[in-house]
Amino acid sequence: MSDEARLRLAFCGLHPDRADRLKRAFGSPAGAVGALASGRVAAPEAVRAAAALPFAACRERLARLGVTPLFRGGAGYPAHLADLPGAPDVLFSKGALPAQPGVAIVGTRRCTRYGTGLARVYGQACAAVGWPVISGLARGADAEAHRGVVDAGGAGVAVLGCGPDIVYPAEHRPLLESLLAGGGGMVTEYPPGARPEPWRFPPRNRIIAGLAGAVVVVEAGETGGALITAAAALEQGRHVFAVPGDVGRATSRGCNLLIRDGATPVLDPADLVASLSLLLGPGRAPAPSGPAPPVEGPGRALLAALPPGGAALEEAATAAGLGVAEAMAALARLEVAGLVRRDGGLVLPGR
Amino acid sequence: MFAAVTSVALVGIDPCPVRVEVHVGGGKEAFQLVGLPDTAVREAKERVRAALLSSGYRFPYRRLTVNLAPAEIPKAGSAYDLPIALAVLAASGMVPAAVTGVVALGELALDGAVRPARGGLGAGIVAAAAGFPCLLPPGSAEEAAVVSRAEVRVVRTLAEAVAAALGETAPSPPSPPPETASGASVDLAWVRGQALARRALEVAAAGGHHLLMMGPPGAGKTMLARCLPGMLPALTSAESLEVACAWAAAGRPRPIPSEPPFRSPHHTATPAAIVGGGSGVPVPGELTLAHRGVLFLDELGEFPPYLLDALRQPIEEGWVHIARKGIAVRFPCDVQVAAAANPCPCGYAGDRLVACTCPPAGVARYRRRFSGPLLDRFDLQVAVPRLDPADLCGPEGEPSAAVRSRVAVARRLQAERGALNRSLSRRDLDALQWRPEATRLLRAAADRLALTARGWDRVRRVARTLADLAGVGAVAEEQVAEALSLRAAG
Ligand SMILES: [Zn+2]
């Protein structure tokens, strides 16, 4: 199979199932591209135009964006993903993709603070051991898992449901940049310019699971991307962990069902790390980063009292044993120092 | 031949004396009414004639000219019947001229009875200023009784009015209005927990700052807002008379309480009901009913943007201007605004236990509603989380009275500087004393937290109030830091 035809087919940005059907029908990626370009199969104008794009033009466009194409079976393409049936022929990547399997941490976009807090703690714990942490850059649990990686100075991988030149949601651009700056990577099977259309996300989840040796679901309802990732992981023979939640809470139901169906319940970060060590082996621990700026007095107490998922200022003040006026003043100093941020009524650690 | 009796008209909410002049001349029988009267005033002729005849007087079938002066004040309603009748009687020599030494107000029934009319409070104020006794029908007299220096005589018929004006019969003193407890106010002692919101309320009360409370349903935002009037300094007697005038102008007689009023208009109310206006003579709206008190906008996100726009200028200036053909009035509205809103459309963003079910784009769109010209005037924003059940059975909080005494001290310091901190302009703020560390923190915050110029001013106003509460002259770093945490989040 030529890299040339595979790359040109990937540039069409089709749903992977459709790309597979065309490859079978026309015998090869080259046949599929030819059929699309000539109009022998019905396709939107944009797809036909992409199919007609010469190989050199594709390479040139990627070079301009600083995106590296990785070919299944070729250099740089993670072997543990390449082995799976249905793995993408071509990945578009930025930064470094780990050669060893990592830990996928996923959850619903509509997380409670319980879920976002856990995602961050588990992201931190796994990154600190040195395992790559893989997630989907979505709002809620995904973003918090990535933030945990950044906190720990570890390597994380964001798997996108759109082209490598698009950040979705856009407000996570700084987060993605921190990930890349910290030695992590970004990967997608969709070509430059592919919009984050809803149908692109379910297939994306098989890549998240495929890059991981184990999947941890922190909070999930009965439907949604996190459960698709868990299902893909089971299909691929990966181990699935789930965090038990309140049985009455809709956003915990998915996790609780996974546990009922045999997923390993996770109780705390140490428990997770212990279980994962058996599956993944030792990781490459990140070099300790420089000392954190010293924080004195009430600020230190407030910071120490802040759970990873954040808290209302009042809760944090009570936990730190501070009066509200004192806590408010301390909060502002921490905020100016970039050690906490506010989101609505919540105070969260980190930027 | 000529007589004049004093009555009253409202200019905005202010009562102004009106001279009801009557001239009885020779010539063809006529009844002419001049001086910007409305239709109800024009119909006075028939009522006055019937009332005079029913009361045993003659009606002078000659040329009667009635002038309501000054001509430029619009006069409305049937309240001038009684003064017209008294002036007609005096001008035609049927009763002694001494009958005109009063301030009178009331509608006449055809049988000579005097009916209540709007403006009793105004009549009392005008009478006290003029040093005249005040003749009012039952139903209007009670309003006037709150004016301490007014001599009020209750009259039920025209004949009684003539007698009372001549001092022939003892006036029946009006019963003082029932002292109703102002039901709006809640004592801060009843609020459990919510230390942050309590602090924000104290700062709002001390500096007169407009306050926005963000929190999920059931967090107690409304109850907290209702605490605000009780934390403000009691109204002076001049202020409470102003409040009573504002309410009277809106047709709502109100006993004079010393507590600042609290009004909570619903977001479905019409602009006229909130701002003032209406058909005919403009009537004050909720803004003016909240004059010298608190205007509470619950569910701020539900108020239509045009309504919030209409509120901005009056709130900034302290006056509502209403102009229409031939009439331009202004109503006072020196109000402190408290507002409450959910943090997102479903209400649960950031909640401890309940997940927010809003699409993120929806939350962003919703939060954009809380920016704009009116919201720019809110110096304070505070998150009000739902309470931990453990807090619900915690100890009682500090009572409003304790906070009110600290607020009074802070307000005295502001009065010495000449302005409430809420109204400090950028130039005023620049002229204040700031400690070097305070300025350093402000600069760093502007840099790191992307404060806008207006945001910077808001933080400085609040910091000044915190310094007043702390009783310090130059604003310190500590106060700037706390003020930063009381600004709009995110
Ligand atoms: Zn919501």
Side-chain angles (χ1 to χ4, degrees):
Chain A
M1 273 192 288
S2 78
D3 287 356
E4 179 175 335
R6 287 197 288 172
L7 186 68
R8 289 181 59 202
L9 183 57
F11 256 74
C12 295
L14 300 175
H15 190 288
D17 292 349
R18 175 155 157 85
D20 279 346
R21 279 199 303 275
L22 288 176
K23 276 191 287 184
R24 275 200 303 277
F26 295 95
S28 69
V33 173
L36 285 166
S38 66
R40 260 183 296 148
V41 289
E45 191 44 49
V47 170
R48 188 167 309 157
L53 205 62
F55 179 62
C58 299
R59 299 293 307 219
E60 204 245 331
R61 183 149 184 218
L62 292 174
R64 220 172 30 236
L65 294 169
V67 172
T68 314
L70 303 174
F71 296 92
R72 187 176 180 183
Y77 195 109
H80 49 284
L81 176 61
D83 291 346
L84 295 173
D89 274 346
V90 180
L91 289 174
F92 299 99
S93 76
K94 269 187 185 178
L97 281 197
Q100 65 171 132
V103 187
I105 300 178
V106 295
T108 171
R109 279 173 296 152
R110 293 173 179 175
C111 253
T112 59
R113 277 157 56 193
Y114 172 77
T116 50
L118 289 171
R120 187 151 181 167
V121 172
Y122 292 156
Q124 255 168 6
C126 293
V129 173
W131 295 313
V133 173
I134 297 127
S135 198
L137 202 69
R139 293 188 177 95
D142 286 17
E144 289 308 312
H146 288 309
R147 285 200 176 95
V149 173
V150 174
D151 291 344
V157 179
V159 184
L160 309 188
C162 55
D165 52 339
I166 294 172
V167 181
Y168 179 81
E171 75 241 30
H172 288 165
R173 183 177 292 281
L175 177 58
L176 182 60
E177 278 162 9
S178 320
L179 267 185
L180 292 173
M186 180 274 290
V187 69
T188 176
E189 66 180 304
Y190 300 115
R195 308 293 318 160
E197 284 152 294
W199 58 264
R200 295 195 191 273
F201 288 88
R204 179 277 307 258
N205 293 338
R206 80 193 192 289
I207 304 177
I208 295 182
L211 285 171
V215 173
V216 182
V217 185
V218 289
E219 190 174 10
E222 237 173 310
T223 56
L227 287 203
I228 297 175
T229 309
L234 289 172
E235 212 171 280
Q236 296 165 8
R238 307 319 199 204
H239 204 93
V240 175
F241 293 84
V243 179
D246 191 326
V247 290
R249 186 162 53 205
T251 53
S252 286
R253 189 153 170 81
C255 283
N256 291 338
L257 286 174
L258 284 172
I259 292 168
R260 187 197 66 188
D261 295 343
T264 307
V266 182
L267 302 182
D268 57 48
D271 174 51
L272 177 67
V273 167
S275 308
L276 284 172
S277 302
L278 302 173
L279 292 167
L280 301 176
R284 285 188 313 180
S289 53
V295 181
E296 301 298 330
R300 185 209 294 263
L302 192 64
L303 209 49
L306 217 50
L313 176 59
E314 209 164 333
E315 298 164 14
T318 309
L322 297 174
V324 279
E326 203 181 7
M328 278 195 280
L331 167 68
R333 294 185 193 109
L334 291 173
E335 206 186 350
V336 171
L339 295 171
V340 301
R341 67 195 161 91
R342 294 201 291 164
D343 177 19
L346 280 185
V347 181
L348 299 125
R351 278 174 197 280
Chain B
M1 291 294 105
F2 171 84
V5 174
T6 307
S7 189
V8 66
L10 290 185
V11 173
I13 65 161
D14 298 323
C16 288
V18 167
R19 260 166 65 87
V20 178
E21 304 170 341
V22 173
H23 180 262
V24 181
K28 199 162 164 263
E29 185 213 334
F31 188 102
Q32 215 181 8
L33 192 57
V34 295
L36 213 58
D38 78 349
T39 327
V41 183
R42 291 189 178 285
E43 289 160 355
K45 175 193 172 188
E46 303 310 323
R47 290 191 300 268
V48 168
R49 189 210 321 259
L52 284 177
L53 295 175
S54 310
S55 306
Y57 300 106
R58 286 179 297 107
F59 185 77
Y61 292 100
R62 299 171 62 191
R63 187 176 183 85
L64 288 179
T65 308
V66 179
N67 180 34
L68 305 179
E72 66 273 14
I73 302 175
K75 293 116 194 144
S78 47
Y80 302 109
D81 292 359
L82 179 59
I84 291 172
L86 291 174
V88 167
L89 286 170
S92 56
M94 283 183 276
V95 301
V99 83
T100 58
V102 293
V103 171
L105 190 78
E107 178 184 324
L108 287 176
L110 302 183
D111 63 354
V114 189
R115 291 181 177 148
R118 294 264 292 271
L121 176 61
I125 292 170
V126 167
F132 283 157
C134 177
L135 306 191
L136 291 170
S140 297
E142 293 79 358
E143 277 183 41
V146 300
V147 183
S148 54
R149 287 177 301 110
E151 183 194 338
V152 181
R153 298 178 187 168
V154 184
V155 294
R156 282 180 293 270
T157 63
L158 177 58
E160 274 185 36
V162 171
L166 297 172
E168 284 174 12
T169 48
S172 38
S175 54
E179 192 61 48
T180 52
S182 53
S185 185
V186 173
D187 198 286
L188 205 50
W190 306 341
V191 176
R192 308 288 160 124
Q194 300 292 14
L196 197 61
R198 299 172 81 97
R199 177 69 174 165
L201 279 171
E202 177 168 345
V203 177
H209 306 281
H210 304 316
L211 165 70
L212 173 58
M213 291 181 283
M214 289 274 215
K221 292 167 292 193
T222 304
M223 186 177 182
L224 285 161
R226 284 187 181 277
C227 290
L228 195 48
M231 299 165 70
L232 296 171
L235 297 178
T236 63
S237 54
E239 285 169 342
S240 42
L241 199 55
E242 258 180 64
V243 169
C245 283
W247 284 60
R252 303 191 194 211
R254 176 175 193 254
I256 297 187
S258 58
E259 193 176 271
F262 178 91
R263 299 299 299 173
S264 176
H266 195 255
H267 57 79
T268 56
T270 61
I274 293 182
V275 179
S279 55
V281 173
V283 174
E286 292 287 344
L287 258 175
T288 299
L289 292 176
H291 178 53
R292 301 248 177 243
V294 176
L295 181 73
F296 178 48
L297 304 176
D298 200 1
E299 310 270 12
L300 187 65
E302 303 296 323
F303 279 80
Y306 68 85
L307 199 48
L308 297 182
D309 277 350
L311 286 172
R312 184 187 55 84
Q313 200 177 359
I315 286 171
E316 219 161 286
E317 292 182 359
W319 292 96
V320 178
H321 294 271
I322 295 170
R324 62 164 82 112
K325 202 181 63 168
I327 308 174
V329 294
R330 57 173 207 168
F331 298 123
C333 61
D334 179 1
V335 298
Q336 176 169 14
V337 185
N342 291 337
C344 67
C346 85
Y348 289 101
D351 191 73
R352 187 187 294 106
L353 296 174
V354 183
C356 166
T357 54
C358 306
V363 176
R365 204 175 322 118
Y366 180 81
R367 292 215 176 139
R368 274 199 297 279
R369 285 192 218 168
F370 300 103
S371 58
L374 177 64
L375 272 294
D376 243 15
R377 307 304 305 173
F378 282 69
D379 290 338
L380 292 165
Q381 185 174 321
V382 68
V384 182
R386 279 196 309 160
L387 280 182
D388 206 323
D391 279 348
L392 290 173
C393 37
E396 279 211 343
E398 194 182 26
S400 295
V403 181
R404 191 166 58 231
S405 58
R406 290 197 295 272
V407 166
V409 173
R411 289 233 172 175
R412 252 198 308 281
L413 292 170
Q414 294 168 63
E416 282 166 21
R417 283 196 303 272
L420 204 56
N421 290 340
R422 173 179 79 214
S423 53
L424 293 178
S425 67
R426 190 164 298 164
R427 186 175 304 174
D428 300 333
L429 290 162
D430 290 342
L432 291 172
Q433 278 189 292
W434 302 86
R435 291 195 171 282
E437 321 83 76
T439 307
R440 247 197 316 278
L441 180 60
L442 272 168
R443 293 244 164 79
D447 201 33
R448 306 296 293 274
L449 308 178
L451 283 188
T452 60
R454 285 162 188 267
W456 159 277
D457 288 345
R458 287 193 291 266
V459 168
R460 289 196 296 171
R461 280 194 285 266
V462 173
R464 182 59 256 176
T465 300
L466 289 164
D468 288 336
L469 280 169
V472 300
V475 184
E477 186 263 3
E478 209 181 322
Q479 283 113 31
V480 169
E482 190 180 344
L484 280 167
S485 281
L486 285 166
R487 78 187 198 283

